[in-house]
Amino acid sequence: MAHKKAGGSSRNGRDTEGRRLGVKKYGSEQVLAGNILVRQRGTKVHPGHNVGMGKDHTLFATISGRVRFHRSTGGRTFVSVEPVN
């Protein structure tokens, strides 16, 4: 019972584009207010001082300054922006 599959059901087309996640500004880099620091799924990195979090867990600078990554006693990673004097 060899036969061809009915036409019209393509089996390709499921590979999606990458989401461009990750750290966008690294430690000791200068940033402006509003710059995106980290794009992530979930909170791998938590917001510290002068950093806001969007609804998709994107971290962004709320002031201009210098980026600093640091760990808390519980092992969480935080990113803060320190104002430059």
Side-chain angles (χ1 to χ4, degrees):
M1 301 236 330
H3 62 274
K4 280 192 123 174
K5 195 168 167 129
S9 67
S10 169
R11 292 203 222 145
N12 299 326
R14 282 180 300 281
D15 199 14
T16 59
E17 295 289 330
R19 295 177 300 189
R20 275 68 172 180
L21 302 178
V23 177
K24 304 300 178 186
K25 300 287 184 185
Y26 294 92
S28 73
E29 255 187 88
Q30 293 278 103
V31 293
L32 299 173
N35 279 170
I36 291 175
L37 307 176
V38 182
R39 300 225 333 117
Q40 58 186 356
R41 292 292 169 261
T43 51
K44 283 175 173 257
V45 181
H46 293 263
H49 295 292
N50 303 315
V51 174
M53 184 162 62
K55 65 178 184 178
D56 63 347
H57 302 111
T58 295
L59 302 182
F60 58 91
T62 56
I63 65 164
S64 297
R66 182 166 272 127
V67 177
R68 185 170 81 90
F69 284 85
H70 48 99
R71 280 222 164 83
S72 71
T73 51
R76 278 188 178 174
T77 304
F78 287 84
V79 61
S80 298
V81 175
E82 296 170 343
V84 177
N85 297 333

